[in-house]
């Protein structure tokens, strides 16, 4: 059975898309730690542990995440974009990209932001338009 993230990449489950190419997809985390918190996934590989990916998929995912992070930094006021890989919840490799003002913004235990659909749309749109410029 397809993972929830495969179904998101196929458009079967809605998401706030930020960017995609043939093999990778980026969308806003629905429980964000900060505005612009984005998840980056391989579309066609459901391996649940990033270091079990084949080297080519792993390298491609990192290259794609780098471009998305540059777009996030351009769209969202922040000091830098933090990177994390947990995978404790969803068994489909994903990289978290989180705009940071301080180290505390990357604390996965803290209460998540509650955003409206309009806010999610606006944030995704602004990151997407920066991505298109790259
Ligand atoms: P983890 O597997 O521990 O890295 O956490 C999974 C992340 O996926 C969490 O930050 C969730 O908020 C996020 N998440 C789960 N389902 C969705 C969804 N349908 N759309 C966007 N983000 C999701």
């Amino acid at each position: 059975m397809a993972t929830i993230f495969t179904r998101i990449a196929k458009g079967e489950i809605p998401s706030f898309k930020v960017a995609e190419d043939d093999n990778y997809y980026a969308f806003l985390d629905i429980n964000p730690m900060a505005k612009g918190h984005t998840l980056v996934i391989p579309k066609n590989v459901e391996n649940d542990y990033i270091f079990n990916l084949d080297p080519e998929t792993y390298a491609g995912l990192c290259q794609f995440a780098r471009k998305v992070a540059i777009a996030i930094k351009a769209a969202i006021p922040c000091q830098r974009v933090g990177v994390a890989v947990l995978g404790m919840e969803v068994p489909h490799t994903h990289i978290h990209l989180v705009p940071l003002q301080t180290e505390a913004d990357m604390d996965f235990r803290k209460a998540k932001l509650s955003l409206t659909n309009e806010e999610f749309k606006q944030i995704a749109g602004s990151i997407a338009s920066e991505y298109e410029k790259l």
Side-chain angles (χ1 to χ4, degrees):
M1 182 158 154
T3 69
I4 185 171
F5 285 177
T6 293
R7 299 189 64 204
I8 283 175
K10 286 183 171 167
E12 295 172 1
I13 292 176
S15 68
F16 296 97
K17 180 174 130 180
V18 161
E20 78 176 309
D21 67 12
D22 288 347
N23 298 311
Y24 305 99
Y25 188 86
F27 58 106
L28 295 182
D29 193 304
I30 206 71
N31 301 301
M33 288 192 286
K35 286 186 180 180
H37 180 173
T38 297
L39 302 176
V40 178
I41 62 170
K43 285 181 175 178
N44 307 313
V45 179
E46 292 190 318
N47 202 314
D48 77 341
Y49 183 51
I50 191 168
F51 297 121
N52 283 341
L53 290 176
D54 64 90
E56 190 184 334
T57 302
Y58 175 79
L61 181 67
C62 292
Q63 298 275 11
F64 180 73
R66 175 181 174 274
K67 271 183 79 175
V68 175
I70 290 168
I72 293 171
K73 180 83 169 56
I76 308 286
C78 62
Q79 296 287 330
R80 54 182 56 216
V81 174
V83 182
V85 178
L86 284 78
M88 305 304 282
E89 192 186 312
V90 178
H92 182 134
T93 290
H94 51 282
I95 295 176
H96 294 258
L97 298 174
V98 185
L100 303 177
Q101 295 298 352
T102 72
E103 198 178 293
D105 293 334
M106 200 81 177
D107 182 353
F108 280 83
R109 294 163 302 186
K110 75 175 187 182
K112 305 299 189 288
L113 297 183
S114 179
L115 303 178
T116 64
N117 273 4
E118 277 315 305
E119 286 175 303
F120 275 117
K121 268 189 215 162
Q122 185 273 322
I123 293 164
S126 62
I127 299 171
S129 57
E130 292 297 336
Y131 181 85
E132 290 306 319
K133 294 180 198 166
L134 297 173

